Each structure stands twice: as structure tokens, then as C-alpha cells.
Amino acid sequence: MDNLLDRALGLEEGRGDRWPLLGKLVLVEDCVETGGAFVVHHIIKRFLLSPQPPALSNNALILVAFSQPLSHYDRVLRKLVISLLSASLSLATGNGSVLVIASGCNLVAQRDNNRFLFFDMLNLRFPDKDDAKTGSSILVSLFEKIYNAVRALSAEKNCITIVIDDIALMEVVANGSSDSVLDFLHYCRTLTSEFDCSVVALNHGDIYSSMEKPMLMLNLEYLSNILVRAEPLATGSAVDVHGQLMVFNKGERDRQGTPGSKIHNFHFRVRENSVDFFYPGGRG
């Protein structure tokens, strides 16, 4: 079955030896009622394990973790099964495509092979409430580490993806300074052009529900090339449908300078080892 999330993200539009998300910032927004971490897990696994040309198999992923330990991600990605529809594999014959099941992503093994770096930010000593300077310096130091890692990896890796698992907790580390967080993400955004890598980040939109949309969220949405929003169903909760996804893929401009933006809307259901995606009224 066609994977609606892959199509919305543009992952089915690989061009030769290029990972489709290179040079892009993917922002995932969720809420308490409808978590969006599964989108981040999906991208990580697609990046590390999808059937790819030889040039794309030489890639690396940097995970900056504010909310979950390595054991959590290793457990989730070992269980996660992704169905991939690929017409470019050598196994395909004639006009048909091959359904491939990608499973068993061992992050520890990927780390040992220098294809996965884990920056553990869970054990930070948060600054005092009046010490915003310390929080900002933590993010400056973190970016320096990320930059040095990307620069070192770029000498031998063709594709690099940076994943930030919780922007809201990053703001806590910065003692509530949204400017420091935005500066950090601006710097990360520059890496997409300097090293042609990609950035994936998760934020929780409902933490700002008591106020009008803050400048941090507006700026993040502006910076992103692809915005993924996980939301509850407009019609209320359902047993067999866990929420809906809106994917705004800004695309690339054509020769006339017109952006090729696309908006995708579909439902999802989270299973123990996979996620089903389907249009309203359908079933995964």
C-alpha cells in the first residue's frame, strides 16, 4: 500500500544519489492529545534503513535528545516496521514495484559503525531562573559540538541528518529565552546549505495555547521547508483513528519562480509496531 506520509514528505521522489530531504528543515508540531513523535521515528528509520543507491548508504544521523534516552529510541526503532514502495530497486521487474519491509534498526550498531551520533541532553543542570546567560551558553556549546560533528562526518559521509527531539525542552534549557532557541535553530538551518544536510525538529504547539501564536512558532514555521502538524480529529475521538496529519510541503520554485507547494491531509492510526495512514473514510 502507498505510504501517504512518504508521499507528503517527498520521500518517494528520490533523485539519483540524493536523499530527498537534504537541504531542508522539517518541523513537526504536535499536542498532548495527538503526539507527533512517530513522524520523527519514521524519518529516522527511513533515513537509516531504506533501500537506497550505494551512494546513499554512506550516511549519518545526529540525534539531539532533550526528552528521551537512547534506550527509548533504540527500543522504538527496533520494533518499528515501515512498508516501502519503491520502483527504483533492481529487484523490480517490468513496470511493477516491490514492497519492502524495513525493520530491526539497531541504533547501537549504527553508532558503532559511525553512522549514528547521540547527544544526550537529558542530564543537564538547568540554569537558575534568573540566569538566562547560562542557558544561552549551553545552546552555543551544543551548536559548536553539532557543527564539529557535521564537519567531521561530511568528509566521509554523503548524507547527514540532524534530529532535535523537543524544541520546547530546549526552551526550558535556555531559561525561557525563545530568542536563544531561535538563534540556535537559525544556525542549524545554515548547516543545510553549508553541508547540504537536513534538520528535523519536534515542537509542542499546545504549550502556547494560553496565548496568541508566539513569534518562536511563527518563525519556526517560516524557516521550515516542510511543516507536519499532528492534530486530533475535528469530529472528536475515535477508536480506530488516532488523529490527523497536515503536511505542508513548500516544495521548490519552478522556472517562473512559482513555489510548488502542496498540502496533504490524512488520518493515522498508531499500532504497536507500525503506523497506518489513510484518507478520511478509509482504513490503513
Side-chain angles (χ1 to χ4, degrees), residues 32-191:
V32 172
E33 295 90 346
T34 313
F38 68 89
V39 178
V40 176
H41 301 154
H42 180 89
I43 294 174
I44 291 174
K45 192 150 194 176
R46 285 285 272 112
F47 182 74
L48 290 175
L49 286 188
S50 295
Q52 299 165 342
L56 276 182
S57 63
N58 187 29
N59 51 27
L61 185 137
I62 299 171
L63 176 54
V64 185
F66 286 89
S67 66
Q68 298 290 348
L70 175 59
S71 58
H72 167 82
Y73 290 103
D74 191 50
R75 182 175 63 254
V76 169
L77 291 169
R78 280 175 185 264
K79 294 169 58 179
L80 183 61
V81 174
I82 298 177
S83 299
L84 308 172
L85 197 62
S86 174
S88 61
L89 298 179
S90 59
L91 294 177
T93 58
N95 206 19
S97 299
V98 178
L99 184 65
V100 180
I101 303 298
S103 59
C105 184
N106 186 328
L107 292 182
V108 175
Q110 298 282 356
R111 183 181 61 185
D112 293 341
N113 291 329
N114 200 32
R115 297 188 61 220
F116 174 72
L117 295 180
F118 186 79
F119 287 2
D120 187 351
M121 308 300 293
L122 276 71
N123 296 319
L124 285 176
R125 293 183 60 187
F126 291 164
D128 296 333
K129 63 180 181 178
D130 297 323
D131 193 3
K133 184 177 180 180
T134 299
S136 298
S137 65
I138 290 174
L139 295 188
V140 170
S141 176
L142 173 60
F143 178 76
E144 290 177 352
K145 292 178 181 178
I146 293 173
Y147 179 85
N148 291 334
V150 170
R151 184 174 60 179
L153 288 168
S154 64
E156 59 181 61
K157 303 296 183 183
N158 295 309
C159 307
I160 301 171
T161 290
I162 303 164
V163 176
I164 301 168
D165 75 348
D166 199 320
I167 293 176
L169 285 178
M170 183 189 300
E171 195 172 3
V172 173
V173 170
N175 200 23
S177 173
S178 58
D179 288 342
S180 296
V181 173
L182 191 57
D183 287 344
F184 176 88
L185 293 168
H186 265 292
Y187 292 141
C188 288
R189 186 71 171 84
T190 64
L191 298 180

Side-chain angles (χ1 to χ4, degrees), residues 5-19:
L5 180 56
D6 281 356
R7 183 197 299 177
L9 293 173
L11 297 181
E12 296 179 343
E13 302 173 2
R15 293 168 294 181
D17 60 353
R18 182 179 174 86
W19 168 244

Side-chain angles (χ1 to χ4, degrees), residues 9 24-30 39-40 43 164 167 185 199-204 216-230 246-248:
L9 293 173
K24 297 182 178 182
L25 188 153
V26 181
L27 176 65
V28 182
E29 292 182 354
D30 69 0
V39 178
V40 176
I43 294 174
I164 301 168
I167 293 176
L185 293 168
V199 178
V200 179
L202 174 66
N203 195 26
H204 309 302
L216 175 61
M217 286 189 66
L218 291 173
N219 277 280
L220 289 177
E221 292 176 2
Y222 175 78
L223 281 176
S224 65
N225 301 100
I226 301 176
L227 173 63
V228 183
R229 185 174 291 131
M246 186 285 294
V247 182
F248 179 32

